[in-house]
Amino acid sequence: MMTRVLQYIGQVVAYGGFIIFVGYLSAAPAYVHLQPGQAQIKLSFSHAGKPVSECRERSDEELARLAPNMRVRKVCPRERSGVAVVLEVDDKLLYSDILQPSGLKKDGTSTTYRKFTVKAGKYKIKIKLKDDFRKSTTIKDVSKLNAGDFNYTYSRKVYLGAGKIMVIDFNKEADGFVFSF
Amino acid sequence: MLERTQRSGRRLFEWVEAGFNRIGGHRWNPFYQLGALSFFFFWIITVSGLYLYIFFRTGTTAAYESVEYLTIDQWYLGGVMRSLHRYASDAFVVTIVLHILREFFIGRYRYFRWFSWVTGVPLLWLTFAAGIGGYWLVWDSLAQYIAITTAEWLDWLPFLTDPIARNFLNQASMSDRFFSLLSFLHIAIPLFLLLGMWIHIQRMTLPRSNPTRILAVGTISALLVLSFILPATSQEPANLDNLVFTVNLDWFYLNFYPLLDKWSAGSIWALVFGVTLLLVVMPWLPPHKPEPVAVVDLENCNGCGRCFDDCPFGAVDMFPRTDNLPFSHEAVVDSALCASCGICVGSCPTATPFRRATALVPGIDMPQLKIADIRDKTVQAAEKLTGHDRVIVYGCRNGTDINRLQGSGVAVISLPCISALPPSFIDFVIARGHAEGVFLTGCQQGDCYYRLGIDWTEQRIAGLRDPALRKKVPRERVATCWSGPVGFARQKAELVSFRAQLLEMGPNRRNGAIINKTDTPDSKGG
């Protein structure tokens, strides 16, 4: 009888241990992902650079060699320019890259997604973009570019509150960079 | 190194399991039913999930609100269902991990078992995908953290042109349709998981996919208690315009997420793919030559199909006869599935040691331990025995080292599985006076290394399964002890007690006369 009671107690303890184990690890211990007082700058866009060379017109001989339904005089290159981007915070370089276009023929968009965790506070943000490299361009390093080489430049002072996220996107239709908080 | 790790791990499991056996017996012991428990948790998750799905609304704010409604307004049912859904999912991971570790330590993943092992690997991926996806649906701050971290992690793979993480840039970038996709995936992935679980057990005969009632009732009661005392709740609603600083992670599913903050996404992918690859190739590491498999002797096979019925791994199949003997079928062994356990030999009615007119060649036999060898070993071992409480111990090699039981009155014969012993051997030993009793021992009850060996042996002795032990064999002269590899003390004590019982009963008698082994033809080398 005593053994039976002890067995029942043992089973209750086993089930108790099981639910404590499952119940606790199901939501604890808490994980501190970011420290209080931090804010974040997210730079992300998907933008197709300009074609790497000018469109040209086919000669009559060239047109004659094509099938009748393909005889379009103006022909443009599929390949797109890479997109150079530079992000400066308080005049210090935070990020720079030349983003290559996607696709086997390099005819897709250049995309980026970067996030930077900073202390909350006031910042001067400057961002530059160049999307019109020519096919003959051999520049691989953004630092080799001059300020005048960029065809989009945007600068503004922002206040990033603790826990806030500022997103910098690029929208050609909106005439360049879009900041959202 | 590998063997040492396995030995240590196995010892740890055996020690814990012995404790569980003491408090609830083998039918309650969850360690013997980890696979079945995983199925059980899957069904709890399914039923509770179906209920939650009725009330769940897709949408950036509707998702959170509908879960809050279930948790707070409908706490008595919706809240309990949500908690059951959460905790059963967590328990599902616990039983899966224990199942993998246990099979690894016991060594039940090589040779013929490779299929079950390898088909289990994708189930891990599906389990985690389903679990992590479930957390997204709540759309609280934890979901926000998981969504962004997962998207950033997936974006490392060079498959997508546009980063997935761009969908979570800010509140404005979120779409209600995203939740429709998520809820679809949260149903589709578990369906694939179920299909995978079904494939996982395909090579088992009579797979155990339900735990015993006592364990099922106890487990669901425990989960219900947990659901009432610690209901699953949401964290703050997600707001993609704000950062998430602290999250209460579910460490069963999200344990590797903190690593994503410390290591690069590529390193985590390397780790995940590396572990997956290692798991897939493990059955062949290091390469070993498997044991010889069962061999059918057509001249002695009458196509009765008992080996087909008893094989725990479906390695024996019955095909139309290919010789001229007047039977409709013959047994055929699939060597890729054969475990070399010998259970088929134990089930073969032609594997009888009484057979004397012709050489003892049964319809199916194990090349490494032929049935004729077992008979010879039995006779030779019995000849050395003295006293009036002589016992022949037949033991399975996956139990204790039965050689430690050997003595002047005790002979031991080791078998691959206890069920490899045809019941006629028990009859043979007692009826021919080779010993006063037969002691059968092996794995722990409920945890047969070859799954069904103990069940078949007990059913054969009880006369419930063919080939059955003859009714006239005195059952009091047959003892079984399913003590497992750590039960030597119990085994020894039960053997001592059995021998004392045999002494009390006196010598074997037939028609009132004492059976003397020297009167039997076996003693002359038969």
Side-chain angles (χ1 to χ4, degrees):
Chain A
M1 181 62 188
M2 192 59 193
T3 314
R4 199 90 187 129
V5 171
L6 285 174
Q7 281 185 326
Y8 284 132
I9 293 170
Q11 287 177 29
V12 170
V13 170
Y15 282 123
F18 168 67
I19 63 172
I20 288 169
F21 177 69
V22 169
Y24 178 73
L25 285 178
S26 177
Y31 170 64
V32 180
H33 171 52
L34 291 169
Q35 296 301 325
Q38 288 185 313
Q40 213 163 56
I41 300 169
K42 282 187 180 176
L43 168 66
S44 178
F45 59 79
S46 182
H47 170 60
K50 294 193 171 112
V52 289
S53 57
E54 296 298 329
C55 298
R56 67 177 182 87
E57 293 201 343
R58 288 188 174 112
S59 64
D60 291 341
E61 291 76 23
E62 278 179 301
L63 282 175
R65 281 199 296 273
L66 293 171
N69 63 322
M70 303 288 282
R71 288 174 188 163
V72 180
R73 188 165 289 278
K74 193 172 180 182
V75 59
C76 296
R78 286 180 66 175
E79 190 179 339
R80 300 268 173 178
S81 157
V83 174
V85 61
V86 175
L87 173 65
E88 291 170 359
V89 175
D90 290 343
D91 298 321
K92 285 181 189 153
L93 179 69
L94 192 61
Y95 167 70
S96 70
D97 201 358
I98 298 179
L99 309 164
Q100 294 306 314
S102 57
L104 294 173
K105 299 280 187 187
K106 295 188 173 181
D107 55 350
T109 54
S110 298
T111 54
T112 189
Y113 172 87
R114 290 283 186 280
K115 64 180 188 187
F116 309 96
T117 304
V118 294
K119 278 184 185 169
K122 285 182 184 167
Y123 291 100
K124 182 182 153 199
I125 308 284
K126 189 173 183 184
I127 183 143
K128 299 180 282 190
L129 183 143
K130 175 178 171 60
D131 65 352
D132 57 356
F133 290 100
R134 300 278 88 179
K135 195 171 179 67
S136 54
T137 307
T138 53
I139 292 175
K140 299 266 190 270
D141 186 357
V142 188
S143 63
K144 299 270 171 24
L145 295 170
N146 298 316
D149 292 334
F150 292 92
N151 45 343
Y152 295 93
T153 302
Y154 189 83
S155 177
R156 71 179 279 187
K157 286 183 180 169
V158 296
Y159 175 74
L160 289 177
K164 298 307 286 183
I165 300 169
M166 182 183 74
V167 177
I168 306 172
D169 204 342
F170 183 82
N171 186 343
K172 199 176 167 188
E173 279 68 47
D175 215 19
F177 288 102
V178 179
F179 283 54
S180 55
F181 295 84
Chain B
M1 173 67 180
L2 177 71
E3 277 178 17
R4 202 182 309 155
T5 308
Q6 285 179 312
R7 229 183 355 258
S8 310
R10 185 173 185 176
R11 242 180 248 142
L12 178 67
F13 265 98
E14 284 163 358
W15 182 73
V16 175
E17 287 162 11
F20 274 77
N21 279 335
R22 268 197 293 279
I23 59 175
H26 73 275
R27 288 185 57 74
W28 175 77
N29 196 329
F31 288 92
Y32 300 157
Q33 308 172 55
L34 290 168
L37 268 177
S38 303
F39 267 91
F40 182 62
F41 289 132
F42 182 86
W43 295 124
I44 296 176
I45 298 164
T46 304
V47 171
S48 54
L50 285 173
Y51 183 82
L52 298 175
Y53 189 69
I54 295 168
F55 298 93
F56 183 74
R57 285 183 290 133
T58 55
T60 42
T61 51
Y64 185 84
E65 285 167 5
S66 60
V67 176
E68 282 298 272
Y69 164 76
L70 281 160
T71 311
I72 298 164
D73 298 339
Q74 211 197 93
W75 63 270
Y76 49 88
L77 187 57
V80 171
M81 284 293 188
R82 181 188 179 190
S83 302
L84 269 182
H85 196 67
R86 154 92 69 95
Y87 295 133
S89 304
D90 290 337
F92 188 55
V93 173
V94 173
T95 50
I96 286 174
V97 171
L98 286 174
H99 186 47
I100 295 169
L101 287 174
R102 191 169 187 274
E103 298 306 292
F104 168 70
F105 289 137
I106 295 175
R108 290 197 293 210
Y109 62 98
R110 296 173 66 89
Y111 313 123
F112 65 99
R113 282 188 162 106
W114 74 265
F115 179 85
S116 305
W117 179 268
V118 172
T119 55
V121 177
L123 303 187
L124 284 173
W125 279 76
L126 291 168
T127 300
F128 278 87
I132 292 167
Y135 276 104
W136 286 34
L137 285 171
V138 181
W139 206 234
D140 58 358
S141 57
L142 175 63
Q144 177 182 340
Y145 164 74
I146 299 167
I148 294 170
T149 311
T150 310
E152 289 169 355
W153 186 44
L154 287 170
D155 284 336
W156 184 88
L157 297 171
F159 300 137
L160 298 167
T161 309
D162 235 19
I164 305 170
R166 273 181 59 74
N167 295 299
F168 308 108
L169 280 179
N170 50 28
Q171 284 289 85
S173 59
M174 275 298 292
S175 155
D176 287 354
R177 277 191 293 174
F178 168 71
F179 288 90
S180 306
L181 172 70
L182 270 188
S183 54
F184 167 76
L185 286 175
H186 197 55
I187 294 169
I189 294 172
L191 282 175
F192 279 107
L193 178 60
L194 181 61
L195 175 69
M197 286 160 70
W198 177 74
I199 294 169
H200 182 59
I201 58 171
Q202 276 313 290
R203 284 202 177 175
M204 308 275 173
T205 304
L206 304 175
R208 198 200 293 177
S209 57
N210 289 316
T212 54
R213 189 172 300 174
I214 184 173
L215 183 63
V217 170
T219 305
I220 198 161
S221 305
L223 289 181
L224 276 170
V225 169
L226 177 59
S227 300
F228 275 107
I229 59 174
L230 191 67
T233 53
S234 303
Q235 297 174 36
E236 293 293 304
N239 182 347
L240 290 170
D241 293 334
N242 292 335
L243 285 175
V244 174
F245 290 109
T246 302
V247 278
N248 292 318
L249 288 184
D250 179 334
W251 292 91
F252 295 102
Y253 282 94
L254 310 170
N255 43 57
F256 64 96
Y257 274 71
L259 270 185
L260 283 160
D261 283 341
K262 309 271 185 282
W263 296 1
S264 68
S267 312
I268 306 292
W269 278 120
L271 178 71
V272 169
F273 281 125
V275 170
T276 303
L277 184 67
L278 180 67
L279 285 172
V280 168
V281 299
M282 260 175 65
W284 297 276
L285 289 179
H288 266 298
K289 201 176 166 193
E291 276 192 89
V293 300
V295 175
V296 175
D297 184 85
L298 271 188
E299 269 185 43
N300 289 284
C301 172
N302 61 13
C304 67
R306 288 187 179 94
C307 50
F308 167 77
D309 291 338
D310 281 8
C311 178
F313 304 100
V316 183
D317 217 336
M318 302 307 294
F319 283 95
R321 206 75 197 184
T322 55
D323 57 13
N324 296 323
L325 291 180
F327 306 110
S328 63
H329 287 81
E330 65 185 37
V332 174
V333 176
D334 183 341
S335 58
L337 305 183
C338 181
S340 309
C341 61
I343 290 179
C344 51
V345 183
S347 74
C348 184
T350 63
T352 167
F354 290 106
R355 193 165 141 190
R356 300 194 51 79
T358 55
L360 178 45
V361 180
I364 192 163
D365 209 352
M366 298 305 299
Q368 65 273 45
L369 185 62
K370 292 191 162 102
I371 208 76
D373 298 337
I374 300 176
R375 183 175 71 178
D376 292 347
K377 281 187 177 185
T378 302
V379 173
Q380 284 161 17
E383 277 173 357
K384 293 175 193 153
L385 294 178
T386 56
H388 299 292
D389 54 356
R390 297 164 304 149
V391 172
I392 294 188
V393 175
Y394 291 100
C396 139
R397 67 181 173 199
N398 295 297
T400 56
D401 175 13
I402 55 170
N403 288 319
R404 293 161 70 192
L405 297 170
Q406 207 161 1
S408 60
V410 179
V412 298
I413 292 162
S414 183
L415 302 165
C417 172
I418 196 62
S419 198
L421 185 77
S424 52
F425 269 79
I426 301 170
D427 192 0
F428 176 72
V429 168
I430 296 169
R432 293 284 170 89
H434 289 300
E436 272 70 45
V438 174
F439 190 81
L440 305 177
T441 185
C443 301
Q444 172 65 49
Q445 183 110 43
D447 188 36
C448 173
Y449 188 83
Y450 294 111
R451 302 182 55 244
L452 302 170
I454 294 175
D455 292 348
W456 291 170
T457 301
E458 292 204 321
Q459 288 178 25
R460 288 170 190 165
I461 293 172
L464 301 171
R465 188 172 194 88
D466 269 342
L469 181 63
R470 282 200 306 163
K471 274 186 189 162
K472 63 194 293 187
V473 176
R475 296 307 196 266
E476 63 276 14
R477 291 189 180 275
V478 184
T480 58
C481 175
W482 312 124
S483 53
V486 288
F488 181 72
R490 183 184 139 202
Q491 198 178 45
K492 197 173 174 187
E494 288 191 18
L495 180 61
V496 168
S497 158
F498 179 55
R499 291 181 71 191
Q501 183 188 318
L502 290 172
L503 261 184
E504 252 178 53
M505 281 191 282
N508 296 347
R509 287 171 191 277
R510 190 191 301 138
N511 300 327
I514 295 172
I515 303 169
N516 190 331
K517 70 181 175 187
T518 53
D519 300 336
T520 66
D522 311 311
S523 59
K524 297 177 185 75

Short mmCIF file of all heavy atoms in Angstrom, two decimals, chain A residues 34-73:
data_model
loop_
_atom_site.label_atom_id
_atom_site.label_comp_id
_atom_site.label_asym_id
_atom_site.label_seq_id
_atom_site.Cartn_x
_atom_site.Cartn_y
_atom_site.Cartn_z
N LEU A 34 18.09 43.95 -27.84
CA LEU A 34 18.74 45.27 -27.96
C LEU A 34 18.70 45.96 -26.61
O LEU A 34 17.82 45.70 -25.79
CB LEU A 34 17.99 46.12 -28.99
CG LEU A 34 18.08 45.66 -30.45
CD1 LEU A 34 17.09 46.43 -31.29
CD2 LEU A 34 19.49 45.81 -31.00
N GLN A 35 19.66 46.83 -26.39
CA GLN A 35 19.73 47.55 -25.12
C GLN A 35 18.79 48.76 -25.16
O GLN A 35 18.61 49.38 -26.22
CB GLN A 35 21.16 48.03 -24.86
CG GLN A 35 22.16 46.89 -24.69
CD GLN A 35 21.81 45.94 -23.56
OE1 GLN A 35 21.28 46.36 -22.53
NE2 GLN A 35 22.07 44.66 -23.77
N PRO A 36 18.22 49.13 -24.02
CA PRO A 36 17.36 50.33 -23.98
C PRO A 36 18.19 51.55 -24.40
O PRO A 36 19.39 51.60 -24.19
CB PRO A 36 16.95 50.44 -22.52
CG PRO A 36 17.23 49.11 -21.92
CD PRO A 36 18.31 48.47 -22.71
N GLY A 37 17.51 52.51 -24.99
CA GLY A 37 18.21 53.73 -25.42
C GLY A 37 18.79 53.61 -26.81
O GLY A 37 19.48 54.51 -27.27
N GLN A 38 18.50 52.51 -27.47
CA GLN A 38 19.02 52.35 -28.83
C GLN A 38 17.94 52.68 -29.87
O GLN A 38 16.74 52.60 -29.58
CB GLN A 38 19.53 50.93 -29.03
CG GLN A 38 20.82 50.65 -28.27
CD GLN A 38 21.37 49.28 -28.56
OE1 GLN A 38 20.65 48.30 -28.54
NE2 GLN A 38 22.67 49.22 -28.83
N ALA A 39 18.41 53.05 -31.04
CA ALA A 39 17.50 53.29 -32.16
C ALA A 39 18.12 52.61 -33.39
O ALA A 39 19.23 52.09 -33.30
CB ALA A 39 17.35 54.78 -32.40
N GLN A 40 17.40 52.60 -34.46
CA GLN A 40 17.90 51.87 -35.63
C GLN A 40 17.68 52.64 -36.92
O GLN A 40 16.64 53.29 -37.09
CB GLN A 40 17.20 50.52 -35.71
CG GLN A 40 18.08 49.42 -36.27
CD GLN A 40 17.51 48.05 -35.96
OE1 GLN A 40 16.37 47.78 -36.31
NE2 GLN A 40 18.29 47.20 -35.32
N ILE A 41 18.68 52.57 -37.78
CA ILE A 41 18.53 53.15 -39.12
C ILE A 41 18.51 51.96 -40.08
O ILE A 41 19.41 51.12 -40.05
CB ILE A 41 19.73 54.06 -39.48
CG1 ILE A 41 19.82 55.21 -38.48
CG2 ILE A 41 19.61 54.56 -40.91
CD1 ILE A 41 21.12 56.01 -38.59
N LYS A 42 17.46 51.88 -40.88
CA LYS A 42 17.39 50.81 -41.87
C LYS A 42 17.49 51.43 -43.25
O LYS A 42 16.70 52.33 -43.59
CB LYS A 42 16.06 50.05 -41.76
CG LYS A 42 16.03 49.06 -40.63
CD LYS A 42 14.77 48.21 -40.68
CE LYS A 42 14.75 47.22 -39.53
NZ LYS A 42 13.50 46.45 -39.50
N LEU A 43 18.45 50.98 -43.99
CA LEU A 43 18.60 51.45 -45.37
C LEU A 43 18.20 50.29 -46.27
O LEU A 43 18.82 49.22 -46.21
CB LEU A 43 20.05 51.84 -45.64
CG LEU A 43 20.41 52.09 -47.10
CD1 LEU A 43 19.67 53.31 -47.66
CD2 LEU A 43 21.91 52.28 -47.27
N SER A 44 17.17 50.48 -47.02
CA SER A 44 16.73 49.39 -47.89
C SER A 44 16.02 49.95 -49.12
O SER A 44 15.15 50.80 -49.01
CB SER A 44 15.78 48.47 -47.13
OG SER A 44 15.33 47.46 -47.99
N PHE A 45 16.45 49.48 -50.26
CA PHE A 45 15.73 49.85 -51.48
C PHE A 45 15.94 48.79 -52.54
O PHE A 45 16.84 47.94 -52.42
CB PHE A 45 16.17 51.24 -51.99
CG PHE A 45 17.63 51.34 -52.31
CD1 PHE A 45 18.16 50.83 -53.49
CD2 PHE A 45 18.50 51.96 -51.40
CE1 PHE A 45 19.51 50.94 -53.77
CE2 PHE A 45 19.85 52.06 -51.69
CZ PHE A 45 20.36 51.55 -52.87
N SER A 46 15.12 48.84 -53.53
CA SER A 46 15.25 47.96 -54.68
C SER A 46 15.10 48.87 -55.90
O SER A 46 14.01 49.39 -56.15
CB SER A 46 14.14 46.90 -54.62
OG SER A 46 14.28 46.02 -55.70
N HIS A 47 16.19 49.07 -56.60
CA HIS A 47 16.17 50.09 -57.65
C HIS A 47 16.96 49.58 -58.87
O HIS A 47 18.06 49.06 -58.73
CB HIS A 47 16.81 51.37 -57.10
CG HIS A 47 17.07 52.41 -58.14
ND1 HIS A 47 16.06 52.97 -58.90
CD2 HIS A 47 18.23 52.98 -58.56
CE1 HIS A 47 16.60 53.85 -59.74
NE2 HIS A 47 17.91 53.87 -59.56
N ALA A 48 16.35 49.77 -60.04
CA ALA A 48 17.03 49.35 -61.27
C ALA A 48 17.87 50.51 -61.79
O ALA A 48 17.35 51.63 -61.99
CB ALA A 48 16.00 48.96 -62.31
N GLY A 49 19.17 50.27 -61.95
CA GLY A 49 20.06 51.30 -62.49
C GLY A 49 19.73 51.58 -63.95
O GLY A 49 18.95 50.85 -64.59
N LYS A 50 20.34 52.62 -64.46
CA LYS A 50 20.10 52.98 -65.86
C LYS A 50 20.81 51.97 -66.77
O LYS A 50 21.78 51.32 -66.34
CB LYS A 50 20.61 54.39 -66.13
CG LYS A 50 19.83 55.44 -65.35
CD LYS A 50 20.12 56.81 -65.85
CE LYS A 50 19.17 57.81 -65.22
NZ LYS A 50 19.80 58.72 -64.30
N PRO A 51 20.39 51.85 -68.03
CA PRO A 51 21.10 50.95 -68.95
C PRO A 51 22.57 51.37 -69.06
O PRO A 51 22.90 52.56 -68.95
CB PRO A 51 20.37 51.14 -70.27
CG PRO A 51 19.02 51.63 -69.89
CD PRO A 51 19.20 52.45 -68.67
N VAL A 52 23.42 50.37 -69.27
CA VAL A 52 24.87 50.65 -69.24
C VAL A 52 25.36 51.39 -70.48
O VAL A 52 26.51 51.83 -70.52
CB VAL A 52 25.69 49.36 -69.05
CG1 VAL A 52 25.52 48.83 -67.65
CG2 VAL A 52 25.33 48.33 -70.09
N SER A 53 24.53 51.47 -71.51
CA SER A 53 24.94 52.26 -72.67
C SER A 53 23.69 52.84 -73.32
O SER A 53 22.56 52.44 -72.99
CB SER A 53 25.73 51.39 -73.66
OG SER A 53 24.96 50.29 -74.05
N GLU A 54 23.90 53.73 -74.26
CA GLU A 54 22.77 54.40 -74.90
C GLU A 54 22.05 53.44 -75.85
O GLU A 54 22.64 52.48 -76.35
CB GLU A 54 23.27 55.60 -75.72
CG GLU A 54 23.91 56.69 -74.87
CD GLU A 54 22.93 57.30 -73.89
OE1 GLU A 54 21.72 57.35 -74.19
OE2 GLU A 54 23.37 57.70 -72.79
N CYS A 55 20.80 53.75 -76.11
CA CYS A 55 20.08 53.00 -77.14
C CYS A 55 20.65 53.44 -78.50
O CYS A 55 21.20 54.54 -78.64
CB CYS A 55 18.60 53.35 -77.09
SG CYS A 55 17.82 52.91 -75.53
N ARG A 56 20.54 52.57 -79.47
CA ARG A 56 21.03 52.94 -80.81
C ARG A 56 20.02 52.48 -81.85
O ARG A 56 19.15 51.65 -81.54
CB ARG A 56 22.41 52.33 -81.07
CG ARG A 56 22.39 50.82 -81.18
CD ARG A 56 23.76 50.27 -81.50
NE ARG A 56 23.69 48.82 -81.65
CZ ARG A 56 23.38 48.19 -82.77
NH1 ARG A 56 23.12 48.88 -83.89
NH2 ARG A 56 23.33 46.88 -82.81
N GLU A 57 20.21 52.98 -83.05
CA GLU A 57 19.31 52.58 -84.13
C GLU A 57 20.00 51.57 -85.03
O GLU A 57 21.19 51.73 -85.35
CB GLU A 57 18.88 53.80 -84.93
CG GLU A 57 18.01 54.72 -84.07
CD GLU A 57 17.16 55.65 -84.91
OE1 GLU A 57 17.45 55.81 -86.11
OE2 GLU A 57 16.19 56.19 -84.36
N ARG A 58 19.28 50.55 -85.42
CA ARG A 58 19.86 49.52 -86.30
C ARG A 58 19.94 50.07 -87.71
O ARG A 58 19.07 50.85 -88.15
CB ARG A 58 19.00 48.27 -86.28
CG ARG A 58 19.07 47.49 -84.99
CD ARG A 58 18.35 46.17 -85.16
NE ARG A 58 18.51 45.30 -84.00
CZ ARG A 58 17.55 44.97 -83.16
NH1 ARG A 58 16.33 45.42 -83.34
NH2 ARG A 58 17.79 44.17 -82.15
N SER A 59 20.94 49.61 -88.41
CA SER A 59 21.07 50.01 -89.81
C SER A 59 20.08 49.21 -90.65
O SER A 59 19.52 48.20 -90.17
CB SER A 59 22.50 49.74 -90.29
OG SER A 59 22.73 48.35 -90.24
N ASP A 60 19.86 49.61 -91.85
CA ASP A 60 18.93 48.90 -92.75
C ASP A 60 19.39 47.46 -92.97
O ASP A 60 18.59 46.53 -93.04
CB ASP A 60 18.82 49.62 -94.09
CG ASP A 60 18.10 50.96 -93.92
OD1 ASP A 60 17.41 51.11 -92.87
OD2 ASP A 60 18.24 51.83 -94.79
N GLU A 61 20.71 47.28 -93.09
CA GLU A 61 21.26 45.92 -93.31
C GLU A 61 20.95 45.01 -92.10
O GLU A 61 20.58 43.86 -92.25
CB GLU A 61 22.78 45.97 -93.53
CG GLU A 61 23.25 46.60 -94.82
CD GLU A 61 23.15 48.13 -94.78
OE1 GLU A 61 23.15 48.71 -93.67
OE2 GLU A 61 23.01 48.74 -95.85
N GLU A 62 21.12 45.62 -90.95
CA GLU A 62 20.86 44.83 -89.73
C GLU A 62 19.39 44.44 -89.67
O GLU A 62 19.04 43.32 -89.33
CB GLU A 62 21.21 45.65 -88.48
CG GLU A 62 22.69 45.64 -88.14
CD GLU A 62 22.97 46.50 -86.90
OE1 GLU A 62 22.65 47.71 -86.95
OE2 GLU A 62 23.48 45.94 -85.92
N LEU A 63 18.54 45.37 -89.98
CA LEU A 63 17.10 45.10 -89.94
C LEU A 63 16.72 44.02 -90.94
O LEU A 63 15.91 43.13 -90.64
CB LEU A 63 16.31 46.38 -90.24
CG LEU A 63 16.18 47.38 -89.09
CD1 LEU A 63 15.49 48.64 -89.58
CD2 LEU A 63 15.39 46.78 -87.94
N ALA A 64 17.34 44.05 -92.09
CA ALA A 64 17.00 43.09 -93.14
C ALA A 64 17.36 41.67 -92.71
O ALA A 64 16.72 40.70 -93.13
CB ALA A 64 17.74 43.47 -94.44
N ARG A 65 18.39 41.56 -91.88
CA ARG A 65 18.82 40.22 -91.43
C ARG A 65 17.86 39.62 -90.38
O ARG A 65 17.92 38.44 -90.11
CB ARG A 65 20.24 40.30 -90.84
CG ARG A 65 21.34 40.34 -91.93
CD ARG A 65 22.68 39.95 -91.34
NE ARG A 65 23.15 40.87 -90.32
CZ ARG A 65 23.87 41.98 -90.60
NH1 ARG A 65 24.19 42.27 -91.86
NH2 ARG A 65 24.26 42.77 -89.64
N LEU A 66 17.03 40.47 -89.82
CA LEU A 66 16.11 39.99 -88.77
C LEU A 66 14.81 39.48 -89.39
O LEU A 66 14.44 39.86 -90.50
CB LEU A 66 15.78 41.13 -87.80
CG LEU A 66 16.94 41.63 -86.93
CD1 LEU A 66 16.51 42.90 -86.20
CD2 LEU A 66 17.37 40.57 -85.93
N ALA A 67 14.13 38.63 -88.65
CA ALA A 67 12.80 38.18 -89.09
C ALA A 67 11.88 39.39 -89.14
O ALA A 67 12.07 40.34 -88.36
CB ALA A 67 12.27 37.16 -88.10
N PRO A 68 10.88 39.37 -90.04
CA PRO A 68 10.03 40.55 -90.21
C PRO A 68 9.40 41.05 -88.92
O PRO A 68 9.29 42.25 -88.69
CB PRO A 68 8.96 40.08 -91.21
CG PRO A 68 9.61 38.97 -91.96
CD PRO A 68 10.54 38.30 -91.01
N ASN A 69 9.00 40.12 -88.07
CA ASN A 69 8.33 40.55 -86.84
C ASN A 69 9.32 41.09 -85.79
O ASN A 69 8.91 41.57 -84.74
CB ASN A 69 7.52 39.40 -86.24
CG ASN A 69 8.40 38.24 -85.84
OD1 ASN A 69 9.36 37.92 -86.54
ND2 ASN A 69 8.08 37.61 -84.73
N MET A 70 10.60 40.98 -86.05
CA MET A 70 11.60 41.46 -85.10
C MET A 70 12.23 42.78 -85.53
O MET A 70 13.16 43.26 -84.90
CB MET A 70 12.73 40.42 -84.96
CG MET A 70 12.27 39.04 -84.53
SD MET A 70 11.78 39.01 -82.81
CE MET A 70 13.40 38.96 -82.05
N ARG A 71 11.74 43.33 -86.58
CA ARG A 71 12.42 44.50 -87.17
C ARG A 71 12.03 45.80 -86.45
O ARG A 71 11.17 46.55 -86.91
CB ARG A 71 12.12 44.58 -88.66
CG ARG A 71 12.87 43.49 -89.42
CD ARG A 71 12.50 43.44 -90.88
NE ARG A 71 13.10 42.26 -91.49
CZ ARG A 71 12.73 41.74 -92.63
NH1 ARG A 71 11.75 42.28 -93.33
NH2 ARG A 71 13.32 40.67 -93.12
N VAL A 72 12.66 45.98 -85.32
CA VAL A 72 12.47 47.22 -84.56
C VAL A 72 13.76 48.01 -84.69
O VAL A 72 14.85 47.48 -84.45
CB VAL A 72 12.16 46.92 -83.08
CG1 VAL A 72 11.96 48.20 -82.31
CG2 VAL A 72 10.94 46.03 -82.98
N ARG A 73 13.62 49.26 -85.06
CA ARG A 73 14.85 50.00 -85.36
C ARG A 73 15.64 50.33 -84.09
O ARG A 73 16.84 50.11 -84.04
CB ARG A 73 14.51 51.30 -86.12
CG ARG A 73 15.77 52.00 -86.62
CD ARG A 73 15.45 53.04 -87.66
NE ARG A 73 15.03 52.51 -88.93
CZ ARG A 73 15.86 52.06 -89.88
NH1 ARG A 73 17.17 52.05 -89.69
NH2 ARG A 73 15.39 51.61 -91.02
#
